[in-house]
Amino acid sequence: MRAPTALHALNPLDGRRLVCPYCYSGFTERLIRFRCTGRPGPGGRVCAPVEDTAVRTHLGRRELLPPVFGADGRRALAVCPECSSTTGKQVCATCHAQLPVNFGRTRSRLIALVGARDAGKTVFMTVLIHELMNRVGARFGASVGGSDDHTRHRFRADYETPLYEEERLLGATRRTGTTREPLVFRFTAPRRGLTGRRPRHTLLSFFDTAGEDLTSEESVEANLRYLNNADGVILLLDPLQMEGARRLAPAGTRMPAPGRNAGRPLDMLGRVTDLLLKRSGAAGRLIRVPMAVCLTKIDALHGQLDAGSPLHRPQPGEPFFDDSDSQDVHAQVQQLLHRWDGGGIDGHVRNHYRNARYFGVSALGCAPDDGNRVRGGVRPYRVADPFLWMLGEFGVVPSREGP
């Protein structure tokens, strides 16, 4: 039987903890707060906007907003005690981010995306979400979109447009000295029930953290909350940081800077494991949170793969996660890890994780040129596989053996 995840509860009215998809703080539904509309109440009184210090502290945004007040968060509406206007704007009890519609009645899946600075996390996340909105969404009959205006605008302006329209490589992830806000999306797929076809909504929260953010005591404390509440972890490892793979890369391949301890794949995997071992109930047991270990930039090493390698296959196109194909890829990547890294990563994963799967992906499909331009456009390879595996583990998409 599949182990329960941190947010497996379907009915928040039973008092179980919810987790904010923006700051990852936990609270019960009753503690959800409300933000005044800022419009005149029945008597004409208006609440003046103020700088919300919680938004500034937790999300890094300085904004003048109507005040937040406490009420019974289990109710959809509340009356502002200052101006008597009625509001339905529910916000997180900690960071005061406006919560998605029907939060608490919609499954939430918080996915931490972790990797060293040169592993290509930001590009991977951008291409993954673009694929979910387009080809992968069509494959599963699903629709994917930002769950709030801030995510919709930020993803389009800061991620999708530079990469897909301007063919420009995105900048590296900033370190935790400056707060980064997760991107929160709604994945809606059809399901059939006794009463007919109904939509099934799942909130997906992506937090992009740099491997260097897990090195100092201050940054570890900041990231612990995110990893402690994550339903799944996608760990990106750059094979070109492994000595065995570097020696096999074709001449002219762009190489990450060698010798940076913060970027060594095994060291970074160890730091992530240390944080996950601090989760409640993890001591003395294999870590239960699903761990997708992805070798990125696999296109740079395609020439080193056997002709029959599953990493030469196209991504499956059926409306389910093909577990037999994924197992083939897992076995191939496992062999590559032993060949390129000496088996250190595989040994660590087998001795610490109950539910881990290996993947080989390429977000761009080719190396950018010397000017960091993606000439000819993005041609992703299997970039959605680790995410679909997790959705299959969560029961969000069907998963079965392929033909």
Side-chain angles (χ1 to χ4, degrees):
M1 184 173 69
R2 184 177 297 126
T5 56
L7 293 181
H8 194 64
L10 298 181
N11 181 10
L13 300 181
D14 59 7
R16 295 184 186 179
R17 189 181 66 156
L18 303 173
V19 176
C20 172
Y22 298 97
C23 73
Y24 289 16
S25 296
F27 48 85
T28 62
E29 190 179 28
R30 181 190 290 272
L31 295 180
I32 291 175
R33 296 169 70 84
F34 290 83
R35 188 180 297 282
C36 180
T37 62
R39 295 190 293 269
R45 186 172 180 178
V46 179
C47 287
V50 296
E51 182 177 343
D52 193 318
T53 56
V55 171
R56 182 185 65 200
T57 301
H58 295 280
L59 304 180
R61 287 190 262 142
R62 303 179 68 96
E63 295 184 58
L64 294 178
L65 298 165
V68 166
F69 61 91
D72 189 346
R74 296 173 299 178
R75 299 183 179 275
L77 301 173
V79 176
C80 176
E82 296 297 326
C83 68
S84 299
S85 64
T86 300
T87 179
K89 294 183 177 181
Q90 294 186 314
V91 300
C92 168
T94 300
C95 71
H96 292 181
Q98 184 166 336
L99 296 170
V101 176
N102 290 325
F103 178 77
R105 294 176 175 82
T106 300
R107 281 188 172 187
S108 297
R109 299 299 182 187
L110 311 181
I111 299 172
L113 183 61
V114 187
R117 182 173 295 272
D118 294 322
K121 297 175 308 303
T122 304
V123 172
F124 175 88
M125 182 179 67
T126 303
V127 175
L128 169 61
I129 295 171
H130 182 88
E131 289 290 289
L132 292 176
M133 289 179 168
N134 295 278
R135 285 192 296 183
V136 176
R139 171 182 165 188
F140 287 89
S143 62
V144 180
S147 68
D148 59 85
D149 287 338
H150 185 71
T151 291
R152 286 187 282 267
H153 171 75
R154 185 170 160 225
F155 177 70
R156 178 66 178 164
D158 297 346
Y159 295 86
E160 194 173 38
T161 295
L163 184 60
Y164 281 88
E165 296 184 13
E166 300 171 4
E167 297 186 348
R168 175 167 53 86
L169 198 63
L170 302 166
T173 301
R174 297 170 297 169
R175 301 177 75 165
T176 306
T178 303
T179 304
R180 293 183 304 279
E181 184 176 347
L183 295 174
V184 183
F185 296 85
R186 180 180 288 107
F187 184 97
T188 303
R191 64 172 176 176
R192 294 191 178 278
L194 297 176
T195 58
R197 191 167 176 266
R198 301 175 60 189
R200 180 181 192 175
H201 304 288
T202 302
L203 290 177
L204 305 169
S205 177
F206 292 91
F207 176 68
D208 176 8
T209 181
E212 293 86 344
D213 285 346
L214 306 177
T215 54
S216 71
E217 182 177 347
E218 180 183 2
S219 65
V220 164
E221 188 67 28
N223 284 278
L224 178 59
R225 185 174 71 253
Y226 296 90
L227 283 173
N228 192 48
N229 287 302
D231 287 283
V233 177
I234 297 177
L235 176 64
L236 303 184
L237 301 179
D238 184 355
L240 298 178
Q241 289 279 12
M242 304 174 189
E243 284 302 320
R246 290 174 73 93
R247 291 194 295 267
L248 297 173
T253 301
R254 287 182 56 167
M255 294 288 186
R260 294 173 54 183
N261 289 335
R264 290 180 57 188
L266 183 56
D267 289 347
M268 196 190 57
L269 172 60
R271 290 194 295 274
V272 173
T273 299
D274 288 346
L275 292 180
L276 292 175
L277 285 172
K278 295 181 180 181
R279 292 170 70 120
S280 175
R285 300 180 180 178
L286 292 175
I287 297 169
R288 293 189 173 191
V289 60
M291 167 66 79
V293 180
C294 306
L295 295 187
T296 62
K297 307 175 186 177
I298 204 69
D299 59 284
L301 295 160
H302 260 172
Q304 302 301 320
L305 303 176
D306 296 335
S309 169
L311 287 174
H312 285 308
R313 300 175 190 165
Q315 180 172 297
E318 295 82 4
F320 58 85
F321 178 73
D322 188 337
D323 196 61
S324 58
D325 172 78
S326 180
Q327 290 282 5
D328 289 345
V329 171
H330 172 90
Q332 170 72 98
V333 173
Q334 191 173 42
Q335 292 175 4
L336 295 175
L337 285 172
H338 281 265
R339 187 186 310 169
W340 295 342
D341 182 65
I345 290 173
D346 183 49
H348 184 100
V349 170
R350 285 187 290 106
N351 284 304
H352 289 89
Y353 293 91
R354 178 179 178 179
N355 190 14
R357 186 69 60 90
Y358 295 139
F359 299 89
V361 303
S362 174
L364 297 178
C366 62
D369 64 19
D370 292 338
N372 282 335
R373 311 289 295 192
V374 187
R375 303 296 181 184
V378 177
R379 300 185 297 275
Y381 177 72
R382 287 186 173 268
V383 75
D385 282 10
F387 181 76
L388 292 175
W389 171 69
M390 284 195 178
L391 290 191
E393 293 296 294
F394 299 152
V396 175
V397 300
S399 176
R400 63 177 184 262
E401 301 290 333

